[in-house]
Amino acid sequence: MELRRRDYHMERPLLNQEHLEELGRWGSAPRTHQWRTWLQCSRAQAYALLLQHLPVLVWLPRYPVRDWLLGDLLSGLSVAIMQLPQGLAYALLAGLPPVFGLYSSFYPVFIYFLFGTSRHISVGTFAVMSVMVGSVTESLAPQALNDSMINETARDAARVPVASTLSVLVGLFQVGLGLIHFGFVVTYLSEPLVRGYTTAAAVQVFVSQLKYVFGLHLSSHSGPLSLIYTVLEVCWKLPQSKVGTVVTAAVAGVVLVVVKLLNDKLQQQLPMPIPGELLTLIGATGISYGMGLKHRFEVDVVGNIPAGLVPPVAPNTKLFSKLVGSAFTIAVVGFAIAISLGKIFALRHGYRVDSNQELVALGLSNLIGGIFQCFPVSCSMSRSLVQESTGGNSQVAGAISSLFILLIIVKLGELFHDLPKAVLAAIIIVNLKGMLRQLSDMRSLWKANRADLLIWLVTFTATILLNLDLGLVVAVIFSLLLVVVRTQMPHYSVLGQVPDTDIYRDVAEYSEAKEVPGVKVFRSSATVYFANAEFYSDALKQRCGVDVDFLISQKKKLLKKQEQLKLKQLQKEEKLQKQAASSKGASVSINVNTSLEDMRSNNVEDCKMMQVSSGDKMEDATANGQEDSKAPDGSTLKALGLPQPDFHSLILDLGALSFVDTVCLKSLKNIFHDFREIEVEVYMAACHSPVVSQLEAGHFFDASITKKHLFASVHDAVTFALQHPRPVPDSPVSVTRL
């Protein structure tokens, strides 16, 4: 849009903070005590609380059956078709039997249907969450190198309680954080951090599936550098690969890629995507059963999938101490993924997602799911996109998909007994395409923001080398430290006036912006607080072009010399007076026979002489005072022979300040003191009202620094400074009287 040139004129008085408060009738904003409403109870409040924490009671009675039911039905079936193979595959990723992936695709989805606020995300198994669970189960229940069937049964019996207890603990964390409105914690996970973390997790997932692709038996690695050890072991044992397993994985992968390419190409023509994963699952199971891949080619298969649901089991509280750190990390990561996707869809379709309620909903899904032996879940990006693109309008689609999974669990699960594990590994690897594409973020971030690129690289590297839990901790700490470092090194600038305007900009960036003669305007792009207050003062003195500390030290030395000279002169005069007094006393002692009348006459004459001399001294003092009022004081830079700054006023543009602390207050007071020592008056401008309140609370304003030194805008301060040039100092620290 082209901006038309239009001049506008405004006349108003100069406004300092005192005048502004009088004109605007400023008063502190009234405080709202929200906690008081939490302690009140009424029938209406209880009902509102119920609707807030059980959103299904709000939207389900208003559900438009004619408009939404068909779309939700097709969307639910499409998501279920994806949920089935992904549930089986991601269970292997978590180090559990495949049937537990089906349980995790049923219970949490139905719970989220009741408590969730997003209409489009698909809750259930997710690769990143599964690999995080897998790292925990492998560390607490490792497998032996040569697993027999009995050892696998014992291993699974040890890992299932670990995963379900972990899910309960994750749910407790999420529900607790949601109830205390701690949903904002996810804001500390920036987008580059999350994308770098999920990319590294995708690499972890890829490496973890290599043993199924090549049919290898690897030892269990956990902790830092476990990914490197796994890759080295895979390379070492590569000659032991089973040809049948490699061929099965390769064929399944090619089929899946081809179907995905067809779906992308025929997206507009197809009413719903081709269920490539389900078709591959059914075809691979049939081929494996017909050709006997397990016995003839030693291809590992899923094995027995028990039909029916398992009874609820209480979590093993003895494991809480071992799982608490991993549980908190998984809780935060799972919520970050779910809320980011939920907000994307909410913005696209024009509704609101409550982050705290989402935290409660996801927590209840994991908490109740853990009691029914599920492992921690979040939402899947690929399934969520399918749920939206196939016509899903509400979580009714999620409920339909969970019912379809229930049917598989109860009746059809045992049909997948001969499904090769290599096919599930191929499904996982092909589904990593979206996350591995995030490696291209490095190129875009290099052009857009190098600091975000640094966060991405540190997160990715730390997660690869230190594993998923420690990697996230390092990433969060590094990103927060980077924020501190960036505030420690903001952009400092000296401002000049844009011609014929009241606008002031950096003279280094705007060639037409000129400094106002006799006035320096200084600005920082960040707030001033304990971490950068010293840098602010140093940058100010450097940009002003005056060695303030040197001038002050030289001034103090010269003043000290003057005081020493005066002291010596006074001592000399006192010495002379003492000598004169002693000589006078000697003359009195010699003329003892002097008459009384002579002594009296001498006393009278001495008194007259003293009165005359004292009168002369008073006249001299008055004359000297008048001369001093006209002539400069002996303590000024000019009188001392020191160079004077080429400006008489310094204006601090404090518009970037969002808060002040005690260190900032002391730093500002020191700036006033130091620049007044070199005969430069200091003013402040453009402070926000909360900052002014904090200045008052910190007792910043006093007799020497008043609100008359604080102006509404930079232009007000500049205009005032030009009307009041260099002040005449009454003392070494000059005070401007307004």
Side-chain angles (χ1 to χ4, degrees), residues 42-60:
S42 64
R43 184 175 180 181
Q45 218 166 8
Y47 183 67
L49 191 65
L50 176 65
L51 295 182
Q52 179 185 349
H53 292 294
L54 199 60
V56 69
L57 298 178
V58 177
W59 62 265
L60 191 59

Side-chain angles (χ1 to χ4, degrees), residues 580-627:
S582 62
S583 63
K584 189 175 181 181
S587 64
V588 169
S589 63
I590 292 169
N591 299 310
V592 175
N593 297 322
T594 306
S595 63
L596 184 61
E597 289 80 2
D598 293 337
M599 291 178 66
R600 285 177 179 173
S601 63
N602 288 334
N603 286 336
V604 170
E605 288 177 2
D606 290 341
C607 289
K608 289 180 179 178
M609 291 294 295
M610 289 177 65
Q611 288 176 357
V612 170
S613 63
S614 63
D616 292 340
K617 286 181 180 179
M618 288 180 66
E619 289 177 1
D620 292 341
T622 306
N624 289 334
Q626 291 175 354
E627 288 176 5

